[in-house]
Amino acid sequence: MKSNIRFAAIVIFAFLFSVLPVYAADLTVSVNASSYIRSIPETMYGTNMQCWDDAQNGSNNNVNTLIAAAGNRYVRWPGGSWGDGVLWSDMEGPNYSNTWRVSYGQSMYRINKFDSIMQPIVNFSGIWSDATGTDVNHWEAGAISAAAAWVTDQSSRTNCARYWEIGNEQGGPWEYGWFSGISGTYYGSRYTHMYNAMKAINPRIKIGADCDPCDTYQPWGWYVGKWTRDMLNIMEANGIQPDFLIIHSYPGDTDNAALLGGGVLYIRDFTNSLNNIISTSIGPQYVGKIKYWMTEWDAGSPSTYNRDMSYVSALFKAQYIMEMCKYGWEGSNPWSQYQYHNNETGYQNYQLYPKWYASPMLSYYFGRDMVTASSTDSTVRAYASRDDANNLTIFMANNYPSTDRTVHINISGFGAGTTGGQWLIQPAGSMCPNGVSIQDYNCLMINGVVNPSPSTVPSLSSVAVTTGDSFDISLPRSSMLMIKIPPANQTQRLPYGGTPWPIPGTIEAENYDTGGQFVAYYDTTAGNSGGQYRSDDVDIETCSEGGYDVTGIKTGEWLEYSVNVDSNGLYKITARVASADSNQQFRIEFDGRDETGPVLFASTGGTQVFGNADVNVFLTKGPHTMRLLMDTNDWSVDMLTFTKFGNGTGSVLREVWAGISGGTVANLTSSADYPWNPTGRFLEHSFEGPTNCADSYGTRIRGYLHPVTTGTYYFYIASDDAGELWLSTDENPANAVKICQVTNEVNDYQWDSAAEQKSSAKTLVAGQAYYIEARHKENTGSDNIAIGWEGPRIIRQAITGAYLSPCVIDFTNFSNFASQWQKTGCSLANNWCHGCDYNHDRKVQLDDLIQFADNWWLYGGE
């Protein structure tokens, strides 16, 4: 009944909207769809983690639902000034005394669970707070050592951190390590030492520096001198430049919500100021090369009403992200769509406040390729983009709290179709206490639906709207409107040669898809300057290694390829590249997801002298669109070769048996339901389970381990209560033996509490599959289970899904079931007829076959 009411509401809303009188337009939004600005990176839709909120440890299913729906892949960690004072490798303090914190290990579980990328904040000063809250100074050498160790740890992980910050807001007295005479020169000198130590371990990471966008002496006396100018000058004197500059911003720090509309324009002012500082201190050649990030931001102080719950925050947040995209910023991490309020009813229900919707709406519906848009009324802002299907999307925001507007849309450089779809986002619900306008509502509507379910945001239907190259449309007060317009004559992107390129395999750079500019490629100059192979705008020349290469590359250009990945797994991408210049860079996306991060390479000796640039990625089976994005100028690319490592599929099977008391593994294995009849089955992206999730249960995690390097490995187990780890000499479970265990509970990821937790040395061969199984029993109190390993190029850590595949129900299991079909007398003594009597009624019959069939699909059998 509820769904029918919702459908009726949408129909009525669409009808009313269509018959409302449309008045003469009182402003114009102009869009030039051929005026390309940039390809929007995933990093523009990041978030901050709150490591003081233990609901974010990956075990809270309500929070997990929101995290998954939001799709914020880049997670700034540990979050803010407080997190900057906590040592990453000892988040919970001595003897795990601060269990309310989300530990580093728990954070990595969350990172793996959602295929996220951590953006670490490295403590600048070497001062960290101990378990009692006392600041302990480890000095500069200690800070550098801890930073280097962290980079080493991250660099061995599949989802390696790509962007790092040194410090949080070091110019302010609230920061760990601040002192009254601190200056940009002091910070820049320390930054240089940490930068060099971290890059020595992993030269591919990008490291950001805290800056002040204002080129003035700080009026409150928080620091000495002109922070950013002094910082850049000392870095330049020491032979480095930061990869990006970091600022934080909280506009509208008053009771007047309307000020947030003007606060959106701060991005323009920040950009101009930073450009000027860079140009006049270290040189104009670095403008655009040094990127800008807003790694911590939100609407200003809530003051007399809860601004972070109000609609005005969503209105502000969406425009702030769009302004950063427009001015070429590289990353954004706002606070925080997962934030709840203990004094609100919504805390218990995980109520979705309006700002939660801004990032998913933009990331799912606004195209990646931004083009020029402008408005004749500065209070009504407009942004536009094109997507892979060559649709044009226009996003508009009406910052007037009490005035509806009629907008005339004028489009050039596109050729628009006459019918499009729209999503109208408006305030809804009750007002906040002491609210002053419609912008203070704490709910919103999207096409008439109030606070849609998180799981439906990526698939919200649009409402049909009449479009074209010139049309008028209503824009209600305080609303946001997104219109997706297809081209009148659709140009289809197709694989060059008609068939997607297979992975593993080699893709020649010049064999990008057909479809033309903005569809299959973007090139900054008209015509093929090399004059070879193809007659469009991509520059192709004869290659010194045979065949052809793409040359004359410029920043912002891209090429797309239709590919088909043979199977899930870890792949090495080897790009054959050539350049006379150093510090070159590219990225590779699959279906809009940046899978490589920045890939850097040095001079190869010339634009026809080719060398290798390598990066490892985890890819999923099936068809994909691959985009090669160019981040620097004047280099050439010949081909991309994909080589598969091992046969890991990205997950491992976790089975749970509920309602079993006791704290020993024997309590689990002696249960009549073990091993064939668990109460729940889950696929995990790492070899571990959630922390503090339940009492009186047992766990079995099992699958196949696929090492990619031959060598010596050690295995570890950490569990609460007891746990065992079994490893086979091959893929046969019958050959598995117990290699380590926990008999007395240990804290999560506490690998070395007892000698029995570590295995003896195990020699593993690349390409060989090894059956591996963990058994775990929880009685009451806290609970955890994780399996770690270390070996060639792997620092001790939980085993990630890139090296694992789950046990599945397959034809071998079916043969076993068939051999037991219609047997009677099943019992624990005969292992319930080899596990085929699922309901333990002592017979193998049709109801057991139905359960077997359900398991077949659940486990992913083929």
Side-chain angles (χ1 to χ4, degrees), residues 602-660:
S603 170
T604 59
T607 56
Q608 278 294 306
V609 180
F610 286 86
N612 291 342
D614 298 333
V615 63
N616 294 340
V617 298
F618 186 85
L619 302 178
T620 57
K621 178 180 178 179
H624 300 279
T625 299
M626 181 183 80
R627 176 178 285 197
L628 174 63
L629 296 110
M630 322 304 186
D631 289 335
T632 52
N633 290 321
D634 303 323
W635 55 282
S636 306
V637 56
D638 180 17
M639 65 182 71
L640 302 171
T641 299
F642 292 77
T643 306
K644 189 176 183 185
F645 289 147
N647 292 298
T649 63
S651 61
V652 67
L653 177 67
R654 178 169 65 93
E655 301 165 297
V656 177
W657 286 261
I660 301 176

Side-chain angles (χ1 to χ4, degrees), residues 362-381:
L362 292 173
S363 61
Y364 283 113
Y365 297 109
F366 194 74
R368 284 188 294 161
D369 297 316
M370 199 170 204
V371 296
T372 299
S374 62
S375 169
T376 57
D377 185 336
S378 62
T379 307
V380 176
R381 298 195 179 89

Side-chain angles (χ1 to χ4, degrees), residues 462-736:
S462 62
V463 173
V465 61
T466 299
T467 58
D469 288 325
S470 180
F471 61 95
D472 290 351
I473 197 161
S474 295
L475 188 61
R477 67 196 70 180
S478 297
S479 70
M480 293 178 277
L481 180 63
M482 200 174 305
I483 309 172
K484 192 171 289 291
I485 307 170
N489 299 305
Q490 183 73 55
T491 302
Q492 190 174 6
R493 181 177 52 80
L494 294 171
Y496 188 77
T499 304
W501 301 108
I503 294 177
T506 295
I507 302 172
E508 295 286 342
E510 65 272 16
N511 289 334
Y512 50 89
D513 288 352
T514 62
Q517 182 87 317
F518 294 113
V519 178
Y521 65 82
Y522 172 71
D523 196 277
T524 58
T525 56
N528 178 354
S529 65
Q532 302 294 315
Y533 195 62
R534 296 174 71 166
S535 57
D536 52 34
D537 295 327
V538 178
D539 304 315
I540 302 174
E541 65 183 359
T542 302
C543 181
S544 62
E545 297 191 325
Y548 305 94
D549 64 78
V550 175
T551 189
I553 288 170
K554 300 300 180 185
T555 301
E557 294 182 339
W558 50 262
L559 303 167
E560 285 195 339
Y561 306 81
S562 296
V563 301
N564 190 42
V565 179
D566 178 68
S567 59
N568 287 17
L570 190 63
Y571 290 83
K572 176 183 178 182
I573 305 177
T574 301
R576 292 292 289 171
V577 292
S579 174
D581 300 325
S582 295
N583 300 316
Q584 300 288 25
Q585 179 179 306
F586 63 88
R587 289 171 288 135
I588 301 177
E589 293 181 348
F590 285 81
D591 304 326
R593 289 171 60 91
D594 183 352
E595 297 294 358
T596 65
V599 182
L600 289 81
F601 64 96
S603 170
T604 59
T607 56
Q608 278 294 306
V609 180
F610 286 86
N612 291 342
D614 298 333
V615 63
N616 294 340
V617 298
F618 186 85
L619 302 178
T620 57
K621 178 180 178 179
H624 300 279
T625 299
M626 181 183 80
R627 176 178 285 197
L628 174 63
L629 296 110
M630 322 304 186
D631 289 335
T632 52
N633 290 321
D634 303 323
W635 55 282
S636 306
V637 56
D638 180 17
M639 65 182 71
L640 302 171
T641 299
F642 292 77
T643 306
K644 189 176 183 185
F645 289 147
N647 292 298
T649 63
S651 61
V652 67
L653 177 67
R654 178 169 65 93
E655 301 165 297
V656 177
W657 286 261
I660 301 176
S661 60
T664 69
V665 172
N667 296 133
L668 169 64
T669 57
S670 62
S671 168
D673 287 323
Y674 183 87
W676 306 104
N677 200 24
T679 53
R681 303 176 180 89
F682 310 89
L683 290 177
E684 297 288 351
H685 293 290
S686 55
F687 208 132
E688 54 189 321
T691 299
N692 299 332
C693 64
D695 289 332
S696 301
Y697 73 92
T699 306
R700 178 172 65 167
I701 307 177
R702 60 192 179 113
Y704 301 94
L705 181 67
H706 304 274
V708 300
T709 305
T710 298
T712 300
Y713 294 78
Y714 294 89
F715 292 84
Y716 299 82
I717 182 171
S719 67
D720 182 352
D721 295 331
E724 299 174 353
L725 179 62
W726 295 66
L727 180 69
S728 177
T729 54
D730 54 25
E731 66 269 24
N732 188 350
N735 294 329

Side-chain angles (χ1 to χ4, degrees), residues 165-171 184 187 208-214 223 227-229 231-232 235 242 244-248 270 274 277-278 290-293 329:
E165 297 179 42
I166 296 180
N168 183 64
E169 292 172 348
Q170 296 304 326
Y187 171 80
D210 294 325
C211 78
D212 187 335
C214 298
Y223 57 77
W227 182 276
T228 305
R229 184 175 295 275
M231 175 188 75
L232 290 171
M235 291 177 183
F244 55 97
L245 297 179
I246 300 159
I247 69 169
H248 299 166
F270 293 152
L274 290 173
I277 294 171
I278 292 173
I290 298 175
K291 305 298 184 180
Y292 304 149
W293 282 63
W329 290 49

Side-chain angles (χ1 to χ4, degrees), residues 836-849:
C836 298
D837 179 13
Y838 281 91
N839 60 4
H840 297 171
D841 65 355
R842 303 181 62 79
K843 295 176 288 185
V844 181
Q845 51 190 12
L846 184 60
D847 50 4
D848 300 301
L849 179 60

